[in-house]
Each structure stands twice: as C-alpha cells, then as structure tokens.
Amino acid sequence: MKLSSRHLLQLEGVPKKDLELILDSAVSFREILDRPIKKVPPLRGKTVVNVFYEPSTRTRISFDLAEKRLSADTISFSASASSVKKGESLKDTVRNIEAMKIDMVVVRHRSPGVPYYLTQCLDANIINAGDGTHEHPTQGLLDIFTIRQKYKRIKGLRVLLVGDIKHSRVARSNIWGLKTLGASVAICGPTTLLPYEAERFGIDIYTDINEAMEGVDVVNILRIQLERQKAGLFPSQREYTNLFGISRERLKRLNKNFTIMHPGPMNRGVEITNDVADGPASVILDQVTNGQAVRMAVLYLLSGVDERDSSEDSE
C-alpha cells in the first residue's frame, strides 16, 4: 500500500487510511528498535538531507537515527553554518543540494508554508519537521501512535491539549489527526494563548483548566513558547502555573487510567510539576522512542521503495 501523497506537509486533510497506514507500519518499525541490531535495509541507496533553519534536539536526532536505521545516506544542513549566512536564498540553497542527487528532504523552518514551497522547487520528497506555528505532522503522528499503543484505539477517547495553543504547531497536527481518527478533542489555555481561528477546528475550547479536565483520558501539555511571543501574553509564569499548570491535585479530575503527555522540551515547575512529569501515567519518554518508529514509517512509505525489493535486499 502507498500513501496518497508523495510528501508529508501537514495532518490537516490527510485521509484516515493514510494515517492508519503510517501508524500500522510504525508498529513493525517499533519492534526493530527493541532488537540488538536496530538496522534494516529498505532505504539503502537513498540519500536524505535534513535541512534545519531552527534549533532542534529531539526532532533532528530522531530523524537522523530513523534514516540511519533504514540504511539511508544522510546529510545534515544547518543554516547557521552554511551559505545562508552569505545571503543565499532558500530556493538556491535547496536546489543546489538537490543537484547533488538527493532523494528526500526533511525541513524545519520558522516560516509557515516553507515545506509546501519546497514541493514547488524540488523533485525530492518533502517531509515537514515543523514550519513556524503551522504544523509538525510527525510529532502529531507519534503522539497519536503513543496514545493508540496504550489504549489500542483512538476513536472515542477524550484528549485535552493544554497551554500555548496559539503558537503550537504540535497542537494543530494533534487536533487534525486525532479528529480524523475519531477522538474527542479539547483545548485549554489563557485567552491570549488560544488561536484566533480556534472555532474552525470544530473542538471544545476552555479557559478554565479544572472544567476542561473533567472526564479526560489524555492530557497533552504544551510548552510556553516565549521565543515566539512578541509581547507578554500572560502576567507572570507564577500566575500561569497557578491557573493552568498540571499538578497532581488536578489529575483527580481525569478519567481512570489517564495518560500524561508532553512533546518537550518541558518547563518543569511552570506547565507541569516534577511528580506529574515523572509519574506512572507519564508516557513522555515513550513519545521520544516512538518518534523514531513513526519517522521510519513515514520515510519508508514516502520513499517509493517497493516492499518486495526491500525484502529481497535483506536476504
């Protein structure tokens, strides 16, 4: 089976069958990560370039490992150590990279729409690793994969996203992916950190965290992105913690067998307390591990590699 698109730019509009194909494929790749030798040959002969115009730790390492574990040749590009510093445009930079005969581009950029723009300039497969405040589709997929891993389903679950929804590309990818797969989704945060277009998402919107947490199965806590705010959008971190921080006391409002998630990096003591972050309901480190499996699945499915060819290659 193949995905209906040769790029992964967002989760909005991605068909349910494509989401399920990626999640089902990731199950097999997740098993590989538990083997003594965590490497398989499907992308042997393929070259993947990681083009990161923004700082990243988890996503960049996760993609790099996923590519290496699929036996791809990988190149990492950092804008801070490239000809971009000499004034070269994004288009010229990526076209020169493609002229070196690469097959796939993983791109992170501060401006929404850059991954789509690259699809208009390049023949390579494009994977969005986060574009401004638009979307972060592989993070959304790994969050959904982690939820499905625990509950064996998505449909019918109640998922709450808490925090800086306005600046969160993770929130948007979660919302679209979870809705397509049948979850009930809600968001909660200060009015100033809720997006203007929130009503078009077709989800429940709260500004009272205690009300929002009633009857919830999964709480996905988002980081306060101070670096994307042009002005202070709440009076102080202490006030934010008092009104929206997730503490052990607030967990009593959730459904039994609840789950705590966070895409990282965490501001401990601000949006989440230490005992919640490290508690038994936390799957935060599982999200990190699962991220590799999900990205392996995405890379494999977009690569165009025939399953029979990769199977013969492994013999």
Side-chain angles (χ1 to χ4, degrees), residues 165-166 172 175-176 179 185-188 190-191 193-206:
I165 312 294
K166 182 183 180 73
R172 286 163 178 76
I175 289 168
W176 296 122
K179 279 190 62 183
V185 185
I187 57 175
C188 181
T191 304
L193 293 182
L194 296 176
Y196 300 120
E197 75 276 22
E199 291 185 358
R200 86 174 178 93
F201 296 156
I203 58 176
D204 296 323
I205 303 169
Y206 296 91

Side-chain angles (χ1 to χ4, degrees), residues 2 10 54 58 111 141 151 191 193 215 252 257 261 280 302 315:
K2 293 184 179 178
Q10 58 191 31
E54 275 192 332
R58 269 164 289 269
S111 299
L141 286 165
Y151 295 100
T191 304
L193 293 182
K252 296 174 182 176
N257 195 29
M261 308 181 76
L302 292 180
E315 291 177 352

Side-chain angles (χ1 to χ4, degrees), residues 31 64 179 189 229 244 259:
E31 292 171 0
D64 193 41
K179 279 190 62 183
Q229 297 180 17
F244 296 97
T259 298

Side-chain angles (χ1 to χ4, degrees), residues 121-140:
C121 308
L122 307 177
D123 292 326
N125 305 96
I126 307 298
I127 300 174
N128 180 6
D131 59 333
T133 58
H134 174 224
E135 283 217 34
H136 192 348
T138 56
Q139 179 68 47

